[in-house]
Amino acid sequence: MPTVLPEPTPRKLPRWRGFNLLEKFVAGTSGPVPAGAYQERDFEMIANWGFNFVRLPMSYQCWATPDPAHWTELNENVLKEVDQAVDWGKQYGLHVNLNLHRIPGYCVNPPAEPLNLWADERALEAAVFHWRHLAERYKGRPNREVSFDLINEPNTDEASYIRVVRALVDGIRAVDSGRLIIADGLQYGNQPVFKLADLQLGQSTRGYLPMNVSHYGASWVPMLKDAPEPTWPAQWMNATWNAETLRKIAIQPWQKLEATGVGVHVGEWGCFNKTPHSVALRWMEDQLKLWKETGWGWSLWNFRGSFGILNSDRADVKYKLYKGMQLDEMMLRLLRKY
């Protein structure tokens, strides 16, 4: 079972290590994992392998309609499935981080929302409503069990983001003043936001740089359409990328934020299954070494699926059959090492 970690605070997040679980990543059946209930066996396997964290990136459309006229009508049966995930986290000693990957008014993934969270007050009011509801739902749960990650990978100007985050935080704290809240960095999670430091939030960064290694062959990244097969170290954006490049670009700016009293966690990272496995593992190990040095935790995207350790469909991996799934033993061994 995972080691018991200290009580988390926004100034110093524990070294949470684990996985993103995608059952509510999108509504309906069109996503990489069809929307549905979370699976207890995932929590059990993650804990048995020594990890201590799951992040649940969720679409509000799993429990509410995309129609703004009905944004505040909630499906209690679906929300009970989220409750069950939080309960399994407690049962298996895993911290559960709830994230609105799609929030009323914004999602980094298509399709676009009908209203704009950064500019439309109706969207902001609905977003506050959803987070207030979750705050009511988990009030009384200790922060060692559950935390909130407000908006996945925001892409807007700093002033608009800060205005929205402050409104969401005020809504949550009006219900549960002590809830641990985490805000993603700007530029899709890659840029620390120093002007949020006074709110006593943790912040979440990403571990996808350079993109031609992490997302090689990914059809949803048009800029990589004709990219050559990656190596590691890599060439990208007219620069050589290696561990020291990662330290300079992806670590040091966040250490400056951390020095102001803001806890840091890597909410997402991973390597798509078209990158050669040996390249992916070398790149992953350099990332893991850096995060171990800093004391930051991380959450792999994903557990089961094209970035994960189970059923990743890589052409160059000899998988082990494990509980009816294809296990990437080399990747699992690397993750457990760090």
Side-chain angles (χ1 to χ4, degrees), residues 19 46 49 51 284 300 302-305 307-312 319 326-329 331-333 335:
F19 302 87
I46 290 168
W49 280 325
F51 302 101
M284 291 175 73
L300 188 74
N302 38 18
F303 184 52
R304 286 175 288 109
F307 286 72
I309 60 172
L310 290 166
N311 295 347
S312 59
Y319 290 99
Q326 297 296 312
L327 172 64
D328 183 342
E329 288 185 289
M331 186 177 291
L332 173 60
R333 191 177 305 119
L335 296 173

Side-chain angles (χ1 to χ4, degrees), residues 145-197:
E145 293 180 12
V146 64
S147 61
F148 294 166
D149 178 2
L150 297 174
I151 305 168
N152 183 73
E153 297 180 1
N155 179 33
T156 186
D157 63 275
E158 186 177 57
S160 296
Y161 184 49
I162 291 171
R163 180 179 70 87
V164 167
V165 167
R166 288 186 183 278
L168 299 179
V169 169
D170 287 347
I172 292 167
R173 288 183 174 161
V175 172
D176 186 356
S177 61
R179 176 58 57 208
L180 177 62
I181 304 172
I182 296 170
D184 281 13
L186 277 167
Q187 293 185 358
Y188 306 105
N190 289 292
Q191 177 185 300
V193 188
F194 289 84
K195 291 183 180 179
L196 290 176

Side-chain angles (χ1 to χ4, degrees), residues 124-289:
L124 180 55
E125 289 171 7
V128 171
F129 173 86
H130 280 259
W131 272 121
R132 279 182 64 103
H133 178 81
L134 291 170
E136 288 276 11
R137 206 168 187 94
Y138 302 112
K139 185 176 181 180
R141 295 268 193 170
N143 285 330
R144 66 177 176 273
E145 293 180 12
V146 64
S147 61
F148 294 166
D149 178 2
L150 297 174
I151 305 168
N152 183 73
E153 297 180 1
N155 179 33
T156 186
D157 63 275
E158 186 177 57
S160 296
Y161 184 49
I162 291 171
R163 180 179 70 87
V164 167
V165 167
R166 288 186 183 278
L168 299 179
V169 169
D170 287 347
I172 292 167
R173 288 183 174 161
V175 172
D176 186 356
S177 61
R179 176 58 57 208
L180 177 62
I181 304 172
I182 296 170
D184 281 13
L186 277 167
Q187 293 185 358
Y188 306 105
N190 289 292
Q191 177 185 300
V193 188
F194 289 84
K195 291 183 180 179
L196 290 176
D198 65 303
L199 284 182
Q200 299 183 43
L201 312 175
Q203 289 194 34
S204 178
T205 183
R206 293 294 178 269
Y208 290 127
L209 296 176
M211 290 284 288
N212 67 326
V213 174
S214 67
H215 282 71
Y216 172 68
S219 60
W220 63 93
V221 186
M223 67 181 291
L224 298 177
K225 180 180 178 183
D226 298 316
E229 184 174 280
T231 60
W232 185 252
Q235 296 296 316
W236 190 58
M237 304 293 280
N238 299 315
T240 298
W241 284 72
N242 53 32
E244 288 309 307
T245 316
L246 291 172
R247 185 191 304 278
K248 179 179 178 181
I249 293 176
I251 300 292
Q252 291 177 354
W254 288 87
Q255 287 180 311
K256 291 178 181 177
L257 176 72
E258 192 176 36
T260 70
V262 176
V264 175
H265 185 262
V266 184
E268 286 184 27
W269 75 293
C271 199
F272 188 51
N273 62 13
K274 298 300 186 290
T275 297
H277 195 237
S278 60
V279 173
L281 294 182
R282 290 199 304 273
W283 171 81
M284 291 175 73
E285 183 155 27
D286 277 349
Q287 298 268 36
L288 290 163
K289 285 178 179 177

